Amino acid sequence: MIRINEHYTKLKASFLFADIASRVAEFQKNNPEREIIRLGIGDVTEPLPPACVAAFHEGVDEMASSATFRGYGPEQGYPFLREAIAKNDFHSRGANIEADEIFVSDGSKCDTGNFQELFARDITVAIPDPVYPVYLDTNVMAGRTGIHENGRYNGIRYLEGSWENGFIPPLPEDPVDLIYLCFPNNPTGATIDIKGLQAWVDYAHKEGALILYDAAYESFIRDDELPHTIYEIDGAKEVAVEFRSFSKSAGFTGTRCAFTVVPKAARVFDANGQKLLLYDFWKRRHTTKFNGVSYPVQKVAAAVYTPEGQAQTRALVDDYLENARLIVAGMTDLDYDCIGGINAPYIWIRSDADSWRFFDLLLEKAGVVCTPGIGFGRCGEGCIRISAFNSRENVAKALAQIKTALAG
Ligand code: MLT
């Protein structure tokens, strides 16, 4: 008899964004004439930068000729891409990360979801609230939690964000083993400075913990004082893994390429407290379960690091940042409290109703899709997230429609 992993039955029936998509589809079915502007899921709308498009064509042409055709590539990624990443994303920030500490993959959602497989089932996991749901749901699937009650899974140590702490959660009061952090933050757009991040690294050293640091939105940082990578922090290589993605920085949500950094200095412990190298275990897992990202796509990712690619991706991100600025200004004018939207593509807004009611109001009256804060955790209740990923024209239209809807 085939039996299910019963931990899956503890999960909500569908993933947040699938839930929203089906509500929006239902609304559209009942209101076929309504134009809907999607500022919900953070999916990019603008085309790949020209340097990437040219590299894509070249890569496909190479695959079309027997002289240049490639089969399986190195599971960890082609050296030309890993070397470009190490130089441009880390050495340029004074972070001593080597190319062979980089694991190229098809997405940070998969990597942040898969990484927890390496750890014992009975570790204590600290997860921010509100949070990108993947971190939580994958730990539920792995059996690290009890049941879901009052908006919380038993067994998880929630790190509460609030308007008072600027949605930068405090350090745990008791020891924890695994800590998820994301900055610039999804969903709130909050950012962390060097001193704030140093406190987490020091905590991880003190408790023998590991930080899984999701930096998928790093390219939105424009403030020179903010760290772009956790490896700018003293001592981080021993206690942190970092996740990066080309999805939002270069418009790769449909192209798929990301990478995870596992420094050789990062340590993990066995049941006797003996130190082991985390690197060896992730390498073993990655090379066993993954056959690499396609060659043309890795060429496209490498094109991001050419001078043209750097200029074009910066302009792309600047464009979304200008949308974010307009959304913050528009919602602030309507007297809503906002955080994020500066150094981040998400704007977190205090609503004047519960988050699903505000979601419905914006959908029905303004034709705008946002994401209800409660979908990211109990501390997100009473908030919504608006994403800046859309065209300028649609953002302007959405803001005008929101203004009319909320004034009326
Ligand atoms: C989001 O809207 O939170 C993101 O698009 C999710 C993701 O990148 O997987």
Side-chain angles (χ1 to χ4, degrees):
M1 183 173 62
I2 177 65
R3 287 183 48 221
I4 195 69
N5 168 357
E6 291 192 11
H7 302 300
Y8 273 66
T9 65
K10 299 174 193 161
L11 293 164
K12 275 194 70 216
S14 59
F15 188 63
L16 172 64
F17 293 108
D19 204 5
I20 292 171
S22 71
R23 281 189 187 226
V24 174
E26 180 69 18
F27 177 79
Q28 186 80 89
K29 199 171 107 206
N30 298 331
N31 301 273
E33 75 299 343
R34 284 294 293 278
E35 188 199 354
I36 294 174
I37 301 174
R38 287 174 166 76
L39 303 178
I41 190 165
D43 191 6
V44 296
T45 54
E46 304 312 300
L48 290 173
C52 293
V53 175
F56 225 154
H57 284 297
E58 259 175 46
V60 171
D61 287 345
E62 285 179 57
M63 296 299 272
S65 148
S66 51
T68 47
F69 172 79
R70 302 194 187 214
Y72 292 127
E75 292 96 338
Q76 246 188 277
Y78 283 99
F80 66 78
L81 175 57
R82 286 187 283 141
E83 279 156 18
I85 292 170
K87 177 165 168 258
N88 290 279
D89 286 332
F90 297 100
H91 301 171
S92 68
R93 307 282 322 165
N96 184 18
I97 293 296
E98 296 313 325
D100 64 349
E101 297 176 306
I102 290 159
F103 294 78
V104 174
S105 77
D106 59 352
S108 286
K109 180 178 185 175
C110 326
D111 286 352
T112 55
N114 290 332
F115 214 91
Q116 52 72 32
E117 275 183 31
L118 297 190
F119 308 116
R121 221 179 77 186
D122 58 357
I123 57 166
T124 306
V125 182
I127 296 189
D129 179 358
V131 76
Y132 178 44
V134 172
Y135 317 152
L136 184 59
D137 286 3
T138 52
N139 276 285
V140 176
M141 291 168 179
R144 290 200 186 86
T145 73
I147 56 163
H148 193 255
E149 291 181 297
N150 304 319
R152 291 272 161 97
Y153 283 99
N154 293 327
I156 291 288
R157 201 67 61 78
Y158 287 90
L159 306 170
E160 298 201 342
S162 65
W163 288 92
E164 289 65 44
N165 63 25
F167 291 93
I168 300 181
L171 297 176
E173 282 170 13
D174 305 317
V176 300
D177 306 309
L178 185 65
I179 301 160
Y180 288 83
L181 294 178
C182 172
F183 291 107
N185 187 258
N186 179 13
T188 66
T191 52
I192 195 161
D193 61 16
I194 297 229
K195 186 161 162 256
L197 200 48
Q198 184 74 61
W200 285 97
V201 167
D202 293 347
Y203 173 92
H205 274 279
K206 180 163 98 9
E207 301 298 349
L210 185 81
I211 298 170
L212 297 184
Y213 191 71
D214 185 350
Y217 299 94
E218 169 277 333
S219 62
F220 290 79
I221 296 174
R222 291 289 178 272
D223 180 341
D224 290 341
E225 300 299 308
L226 295 175
H228 286 245
T229 160
I230 196 165
Y231 305 116
E232 286 177 55
I233 307 300
D234 287 341
K237 279 172 69 170
E238 290 78 29
V239 299
V241 167
E242 182 166 303
F243 303 94
R244 290 278 194 100
S245 171
F246 296 97
S247 282
K248 317 293 160 94
S249 62
F252 274 48
T253 53
T255 302
R256 311 306 309 148
C257 196
F259 59 92
T260 290
V261 183
V262 187
K264 293 201 180 126
R267 85 298 180 251
V268 67
F269 301 93
D270 69 11
N272 301 317
Q274 173 105 22
K275 260 191 206 178
L276 303 167
L277 294 188
L278 180 61
Y279 180 87
D280 293 341
F281 294 97
W282 183 247
K283 185 166 182 178
R284 186 70 173 84
R285 193 245 172 237
H286 191 81
T287 52
T288 302
K289 293 197 175 183
F290 191 61
N291 258 339
V293 172
S294 77
Y295 171 70
V297 167
Q298 292 194 58
K299 271 197 72 128
V300 185
V304 167
Y305 297 105
T306 61
E308 310 77 56
Q310 289 283 280
Q312 291 161 7
T313 50
R314 192 171 171 97
L316 189 63
V317 169
D318 278 345
D319 217 45
Y320 290 129
L321 278 170
E322 176 60 9
N323 288 346
R325 194 191 65 73
L326 292 171
I327 295 167
V328 172
M331 295 307 288
T332 308
D333 270 359
L334 292 171
D335 265 349
Y336 286 90
D337 292 332
C338 302
I339 74 159
I342 308 165
N343 304 300
Y346 296 125
I347 300 93
W348 187 248
I349 297 162
R350 199 196 311 246
S351 69
D352 36 26
D354 76 54
S355 25
W356 275 114
R357 265 186 51 210
F358 204 67
F359 170 91
D360 286 338
L361 177 93
L362 290 189
L363 180 60
E364 286 160 19
K365 295 225 166 120
V368 172
V369 180
C370 66
T371 309
I374 186 78
F376 299 106
R378 201 164 79 184
C379 294
E381 181 51 299
C383 302
I384 56 154
R385 188 193 78 175
I386 295 188
S387 150
F389 291 112
N390 215 309
S391 64
R392 181 66 40 74
E393 191 192 345
N394 277 346
V395 166
K397 206 190 285 179
L399 285 170
Q401 289 171 192
I402 290 174
K403 192 168 174 187
T404 310
L406 296 179

